[in-house]
Amino acid sequence: ADPFLARTGGGDLPRPRPPPLPRPRLRGGEHGRELPAPVRRGRRKKLTAVLAWALEWGARTDLLEAALERTGAAPPALADRPEVQPWAEPYWRCFLDLSRERPPQSPPAAIPLAALRHWLAEEGIACPLARAEFRRIVGDLDDAWLAHARTLSRPPPEDDPR
């Protein structure tokens, strides 16, 4: 028998805890370029609000800004304009870049997943968590854009005087 075990009262010694495993980092390093922290669901709605404003008023931004210069008072649409927050700039840029990658067809199709994967690889974003976040956020923006495009491609109702 082991004399040390006999002196300590048996063989039930506490084992030392192993060191904690390293956590994957989302902010650069071996996982890719520097990214914002993962986005909470409520923040994605803010980015979708930017898209909704751009779809409704984006083509008339020059007119709104001219009215601001002429009158000195911001039109309500311009005053309510949501800004792209710093955390959202990579997602917004990704969506804008990939919007041109849609296959030409009617009704409009979604952004191809292969195009998103290629964009992420070109930007050096290799972390699986960050890639999944891009897929969710860009997918949400794409769904909102497609819903808007479908409303524009519908024919007017029979009773519409246009």
Side-chain angles (χ1 to χ4, degrees):
D2 187 351
F4 177 75
L5 292 178
R7 279 185 284 153
T8 58
D12 296 329
L13 294 176
R15 292 187 176 180
R17 285 187 163 188
L21 296 174
R23 298 184 68 122
R25 296 182 315 164
L26 289 177
R27 295 186 158 278
E30 71 274 5
H31 294 289
R33 61 184 279 198
E34 178 110 2
L35 294 174
V39 178
R40 297 186 307 271
R41 184 170 287 281
R43 295 180 108 189
R44 281 191 270 172
K45 291 181 182 178
K46 292 178 183 175
L47 195 53
T48 306
V50 171
L51 175 64
W53 190 94
L55 291 173
E56 185 175 353
W57 297 102
R60 296 176 281 199
T61 304
D62 293 341
L63 295 173
L64 294 171
E65 290 174 351
L68 172 65
E69 287 179 17
R70 194 174 56 249
T71 64
L78 194 57
D80 295 337
R81 179 182 184 176
E83 296 292 326
V84 177
Q85 300 297 316
W87 64 264
E89 287 175 8
Y91 305 108
W92 184 248
R93 189 170 43 86
C94 177
F95 173 73
L96 293 178
D97 289 349
L98 294 180
S99 289
R100 296 181 287 249
E101 298 294 323
R102 297 176 198 283
Q105 66 186 45
S106 182
I111 293 172
L113 184 58
L116 176 60
R117 287 181 179 146
H118 179 74
W119 189 92
L120 293 170
E122 287 288 318
E123 293 294 316
I125 300 169
C127 175
L129 297 174
R131 292 172 74 88
E133 192 71 24
F134 268 89
R135 187 173 179 183
R136 274 192 304 276
I137 292 173
V138 172
D140 287 349
L141 290 170
D142 196 36
D143 291 343
W145 187 91
L146 288 170
H148 178 77
R150 287 186 190 112
T151 62
L152 296 177
S153 65
R154 286 189 196 132
E158 300 276 333
D159 58 345
D160 192 358
R162 284 189 258 168

